[in-house]
Amino acid sequence: MKYSIHDGPGIRTTVFLKGCPLNCQWCHNPESQRFGQELLYRPDRCIGCGLCLEVCPNGAIIAKSGNLKFLRDQCQVCGACCQVCYAGVRELVGKTMSVREVLAEIEKDVVFYDESGGGVTFSGGEAVMQPVFLLEMLKECRKKEIHTAVETCGYVNLEFLQTISEYVNLFLYDLKLMDSQKHQALTGVPNERILENLSWLVKNHSRVIVRVPIIPGINDDEENVALIGEFVTSLKQGQELHLLPYHKAGVDKYQRLGRTYLLPELQSPGHERLEQIAGKLEQLGLKVKIGGGSK
């Protein structure tokens, strides 16, 4: 994604890598959770031309009662239908690219990085889930003097985190829930590794921003907010922490991917509540910002 202003300082290019060890129920990027290519399907755009039916080699599209029906279980994600669909009904998510190819795209915007103090942010999914590729990208960006940021959920191998830390200018580190059992119930994994890795990173890297997604009814209660504040403060006085308000922008993606969104009634937190949370965290000596931008 080009011209991002929410994933680090300045104007940035955000590179999304597929694959994530977490399965957060509120995730707004479900298309990045799995490693392989997936098919986004928007049936409301279909004009019934039938071209997809003609080219599908797996019988995943059939004509029924004068309409075209998509059988997702039969789909092998070959992309043949996407190539002939000019109505945008089907779209492949995920593309295999080399380090050289991605770097070429990044370098197109160097002038914007230089003027704004921006750079490239590696996100996901979880960028560290593709370690070889990520390390090579970071090294190439260092050679080109391009500012790098890595957004991570923290549920990663500490040894590799230590390896890449010297090539990363900024870490954007997600922290969601302090209760490990609740964390596992809502994300699929416990949080001990996440807390241990954050502890090492804050103490050993010069630039780490802790980012807390505020999910109403899930992690915005007084106890969790207080525990997050106390933990982060114990690592470093004056640590920078960003509050990221939940939004519903990714809800429709679940249906397009053939999945069920588990929190359909969830709403974004109000600004007043965000200000209250920020105030409580600031009282502990943290530097708090609402939103994901950074100077």
Side-chain angles (χ1 to χ4, degrees):
M1 180 174 69
K2 292 179 177 290
Y3 309 117
S4 171
I5 57 172
H6 300 293
D7 297 313
I11 297 173
R12 310 189 68 79
T13 297
T14 301
V15 178
F16 294 95
L17 304 180
K18 281 175 69 65
C20 185
L22 272 60
N23 186 23
C24 301
Q25 292 186 12
W26 57 84
C27 179
H28 65 274
N29 285 328
E31 73 279 13
S32 66
Q33 292 175 352
R34 301 174 183 176
F35 282 105
Q37 275 191 324
E38 296 177 85
L39 186 74
L40 280 176
Y41 176 54
R42 302 179 178 88
D44 55 301
R45 296 186 179 183
C46 184
I47 60 175
C49 68
L51 292 176
C52 56
L53 178 63
E54 296 176 8
V55 301
C56 179
N58 302 301
I61 303 169
I62 62 174
K64 187 175 181 179
S65 302
N67 296 311
L68 296 175
K69 185 177 181 180
F70 176 42
L71 306 178
R72 188 176 287 274
D73 291 343
Q74 295 289 110
C75 180
Q76 300 298 312
V77 198
C78 68
C81 59
C82 301
Q83 295 175 15
V84 299
C85 180
Y86 52 83
V89 178
R90 295 169 174 82
E91 176 187 355
L92 282 180
V93 178
K95 181 180 181 181
T96 301
M97 298 180 69
S98 67
V99 170
R100 185 187 297 267
E101 289 172 327
V102 175
L103 188 63
E105 289 298 316
I106 291 171
E107 288 188 290
K108 292 178 182 178
D109 295 327
V110 166
V111 62
F112 299 108
Y113 310 153
D114 293 342
E115 292 180 359
S116 68
V120 59
T121 299
F122 296 96
S123 184
E126 170 54 58
V128 181
M129 291 290 283
Q130 298 194 37
V132 176
F133 181 84
L134 177 61
L135 181 58
E136 288 304 309
M137 284 300 313
L138 291 169
K139 288 181 177 180
E140 289 301 316
C141 288
R142 175 60 57 87
K143 292 177 185 177
K144 303 287 184 178
E145 298 184 344
I146 297 173
H147 182 279
T148 57
V150 170
E151 181 181 3
T152 179
C153 70
Y155 195 78
V156 299
N157 180 277
L158 176 57
E159 184 176 351
F160 182 72
L161 199 63
Q162 294 169 337
T163 297
I164 66 172
S165 63
E166 66 176 290
Y167 302 103
V168 179
N169 297 108
L170 167 67
F171 279 97
L172 302 171
Y173 199 106
D174 291 349
L175 187 58
K176 303 174 177 73
L177 288 154
M178 293 302 294
D179 183 281
S180 187
Q181 290 186 337
K182 190 173 182 181
H183 193 284
Q184 180 153 13
L186 292 165
T187 72
V189 302
N191 69 359
E192 285 82 4
R193 179 188 294 185
I194 294 170
L195 300 181
E196 291 169 3
N197 287 348
L198 178 58
S199 179
W200 182 89
L201 204 56
V202 169
K203 294 174 182 177
N204 292 278
H205 196 276
S206 61
R207 191 81 171 100
V208 180
I209 296 176
V210 177
R211 308 210 301 182
V212 182
I214 301 301
I215 320 297
I218 291 181
N219 74 339
D220 65 335
D221 57 279
E222 299 298 328
E223 182 181 8
N224 188 61
V225 170
L227 289 174
I228 285 177
E230 292 166 6
F231 177 75
V232 177
T233 302
S234 72
L235 302 180
K236 180 181 177 182
Q237 288 291 325
Q239 170 65 40
E240 187 172 355
L241 185 149
H242 292 180
L243 303 178
L244 308 181
Y246 166 81
H247 59 78
K248 300 177 72 70
V251 173
D252 288 344
K253 296 179 184 178
Y254 286 82
Q255 184 175 7
R256 296 171 189 169
L257 289 167
R259 303 185 209 166
T260 300
Y261 185 60
L262 299 178
L263 302 171
E265 304 302 321
L266 196 61
Q267 299 296 319
S268 300
H271 186 72
E272 182 178 350
R273 179 57 182 147
L274 292 169
E275 290 284 1
Q276 290 174 348
I277 294 173
K280 291 182 181 298
L281 294 170
E282 287 172 342
Q283 290 175 6
L284 296 173
L286 297 170
K287 182 181 178 182
V288 183
K289 182 180 184 296
I290 297 174
S294 176
K295 295 183 179 179

